[in-house]
Amino acid sequence: MANEFIQTFVEEKAGIIQLDRPQAANALNRQMVDEIVEQMERFDRDNSIRAIVVKGNEKAFAAGADIDEMMDDSPLSLELTNPFAVWDRMMLIKKPVIAAVNGFALGGGFELALHCDLIVAAENASFGFPEVTLGVMPGAGGTQLLTKAMGRAKALEWIWLGQPMSAREALQYGVINRVVAPEMVVEETMRLTHQLAEQAPVAVRLIKEAVDEAVDTPLEVGLKLERKNFYLAFASQDQKEGMKAFTEKRSPSFKGV
């Protein structure tokens, strides 16, 4: 099925989603979000893909949601259409998802980046939730994901004031992973992606599940999942290959089984 608002590529073992609505600074309308999530799911099912990249263009990752599309919404129309349900599906992606951010990542664009596992940002990138200046609030996970990333007090401050956060500030508060020169964002993202793609896919998936559990559950519950996943890793051929390669002093060749 052809996409209208994204382009997709495969580079070695990486599936790449390029946001492609430049005339609107990649503002996210509902069809665009549907296309992003459906492509994430396709890459997630493809055994030849080891990691997923989401990127914008040189000027913007995504400068918010499509306000024109939202202006005539009502509480009833939102309840009936549930436009945020598709966002929940992003949380079910098992493979690593990395955001490459140049320029603006605001509102829904910031939420999209926060739904990714790792974020590589340009020095000139800008993050924020300006929704309060429009009389609304984040609705696709922003209040929850930012609070988990940086803590209640700072999240409240940023969301209440609606001010932009620089890449350096986002790095300082643990919201993003790396800051690089604008011309290096894609290169650094792909370098990180290819590193992840060479890891054992089963172990990577089990690690993601365990770390996500650690964010939301008591330590005792998280430890039980970690141990279960540790045991499960020993059911994989990758575990046998990884340990054999270690003893033979060679690089492992992981197959994802």
Side-chain angles (χ1 to χ4, degrees):
M1 183 181 297
N3 293 306
E4 184 176 352
F5 298 118
I6 65 172
Q7 296 184 46
T8 64
F9 312 92
V10 174
E11 182 179 311
E12 296 181 14
K13 299 173 184 176
I16 302 168
I17 300 172
Q18 168 87 53
L19 308 184
D20 189 28
R21 201 181 175 214
Q23 74 281 4
N26 287 335
L28 302 171
N29 60 26
R30 288 164 190 166
Q31 180 181 335
M32 189 175 183
V33 175
D34 286 343
E35 291 178 7
I36 293 167
V37 175
E38 288 168 5
Q39 187 59 51
M40 283 184 178
E41 292 170 337
R42 281 192 285 271
F43 283 146
D44 208 31
R45 292 190 298 266
D46 186 340
N47 291 333
S48 70
I49 300 297
R50 299 283 182 86
I52 301 167
V53 172
V54 182
K55 65 178 183 176
N57 56 40
E58 294 80 6
K59 296 182 179 179
F61 178 71
D66 189 327
I67 302 302
D68 291 338
E69 185 179 59
M70 299 170 62
M71 284 189 63
D72 295 327
D73 281 331
S74 69
L76 182 58
S77 70
L78 291 169
E79 175 65 27
L80 292 174
T81 59
N82 194 10
F84 297 123
V86 66
W87 290 80
D88 296 337
R89 289 158 49 194
M90 291 189 207
M91 308 296 290
L92 302 177
I93 302 299
K94 303 300 184 184
K95 293 175 181 173
V97 184
I98 303 96
V101 178
N102 279 93
F104 295 109
L106 303 176
F110 193 9
E111 286 171 314
L112 176 58
L114 288 171
H115 274 81
C116 298
D117 300 305
L118 304 175
I119 302 173
V120 177
E123 293 169 337
N124 64 356
S126 181
F127 302 87
F129 288 117
E131 283 88 340
V132 68
T133 66
L134 303 175
V136 292
M137 61 177 283
T143 62
Q144 305 304 299
L145 295 170
L146 189 62
T147 300
K148 291 179 188 300
M150 69 189 314
R152 179 181 184 274
K154 295 307 296 185
L156 270 176
E157 177 182 345
W158 287 110
I159 299 171
W160 268 344
L161 297 179
Q163 295 176 340
M165 180 191 313
S166 71
R168 289 293 175 189
E169 288 171 314
L171 181 67
Q172 175 188 345
Y173 291 118
V175 178
I176 67 176
N177 297 86
R178 301 183 184 185
V179 176
V180 297
E183 65 273 14
M184 295 297 294
V185 170
V186 174
E187 180 178 336
E188 178 66 12
T189 300
M190 296 312 300
R191 189 179 72 83
L192 177 59
T193 301
H194 292 317
Q195 285 183 309
L196 285 169
E198 293 306 313
Q199 306 297 347
V202 173
V204 167
R205 173 175 176 161
L206 294 173
I207 290 166
K208 178 173 176 175
E209 181 183 22
V211 171
D212 286 346
E213 188 79 5
V215 174
D216 296 313
T217 61
L219 177 60
E220 181 181 0
V221 176
L223 285 173
K224 287 180 179 178
L225 177 66
E226 178 187 87
R227 288 168 191 167
K228 175 182 75 69
N229 284 6
F230 178 82
Y231 300 152
L232 282 174
F234 278 74
S236 70
Q237 292 301 311
D238 281 349
Q239 174 266 327
K240 307 297 186 295
E241 165 64 11
M243 292 190 174
K244 184 179 180 182
F246 178 81
T247 62
E248 295 176 354
K249 297 180 172 55
R250 60 174 174 82
S251 297
S253 178
F254 295 122
K255 305 300 184 185
V257 294

